[in-house]
Amino acid sequence: MPRLRSLRLPILALLLLGGCATSGVPEAIRDPVLPSPAVTEVQQQREIFIGQRVRWGGSILDVHNARETTQIEILARPLNSSGEPDDRSRGPGRFIVEMPGFRDPAEYPKQRRLTVVGPLARMETRDVGDYPYPYPVVAADVWYLWPNPPPVVPVSPYDYPWYRPWYGPWYGPWPGPWYGPWY
């Protein structure tokens, strides 16, 4: 019985750490081992890459629903080690993600980040303005819609601690009648 008591703490620690390790991002998205060619590489050498599995991501440009599939046009972005697209970097090209079933365009709005894993199904040519653009089409079997980043709140210079004593309710951090409210 005393031996069982001594094992309680390590077991509890393992359970807590195991709970922290899980995330909502699928393993295939987080796996950086999958060798993915660049979108521009696929556009130049089409025949070589058809059927190869890729892990690509980027910002949503448009959503088109067909009878049995949804096609999402993506501006490709480089992925970090966990598979999240980097919005600050330049997009190396565009590609189309083909998903089974209906996807509501309200749930996949423009500029939202999406990462997909799946085989390259084919190439499609669509117009971007007046330019015929070759789109690689990924038949996604795993995808993850990244949450919106938290808004950045601008910091006022008056929020720093060295300004606070002069703008507090009593105009100073010191007690006493000489430093109290002067109104």
Side-chain angles (χ1 to χ4, degrees), residues 71-82:
Q71 291 187 341
I72 301 175
E73 186 178 335
I74 305 282
L75 177 62
R77 304 277 188 192
L79 304 178
N80 64 16
S81 61
S82 62

Side-chain angles (χ1 to χ4, degrees), residues 42-180:
V42 173
Q43 289 170 332
Q44 292 168 359
Q45 301 172 351
R46 302 170 184 206
E47 297 80 25
I48 297 173
F49 296 107
I50 299 298
Q52 181 179 342
R53 288 183 65 78
V54 294
R55 180 180 77 137
W56 285 346
S59 305
I60 296 176
L61 296 175
D62 206 2
V63 178
H64 302 282
N65 281 302
R67 183 175 296 266
E68 295 181 15
T69 61
T70 299
Q71 291 187 341
I72 301 175
E73 186 178 335
I74 305 282
L75 177 62
R77 304 277 188 192
L79 304 178
N80 64 16
S81 61
S82 62
E84 185 174 4
D86 183 14
D87 282 342
R88 297 173 304 221
S89 60
R90 189 164 181 241
R94 296 175 177 215
F95 66 97
I96 294 174
V97 175
E98 195 169 67
M99 297 179 177
F102 174 79
R103 304 285 170 221
D104 194 343
E107 291 181 12
Y108 290 82
K110 291 183 180 183
Q111 298 305 315
R112 191 82 181 265
R113 295 167 301 147
L114 180 71
T115 304
V116 298
V117 174
L120 283 169
R122 63 186 178 281
M123 295 292 291
E124 276 186 22
T125 302
R126 293 186 182 178
D127 290 337
V128 176
D130 289 334
Y131 182 79
Y133 191 85
Y135 284 91
V137 178
V138 178
D141 46 23
V142 180
W143 59 87
Y144 185 73
L145 186 64
W146 295 91
N148 284 329
V152 177
V153 179
V155 178
S156 166
Y158 298 107
D159 262 354
Y160 291 107
W162 51 84
Y163 286 107
R164 219 164 274 222
W166 313 114
Y167 295 103
W170 296 284
Y171 296 107
W174 308 279
W178 300 281
Y179 299 106

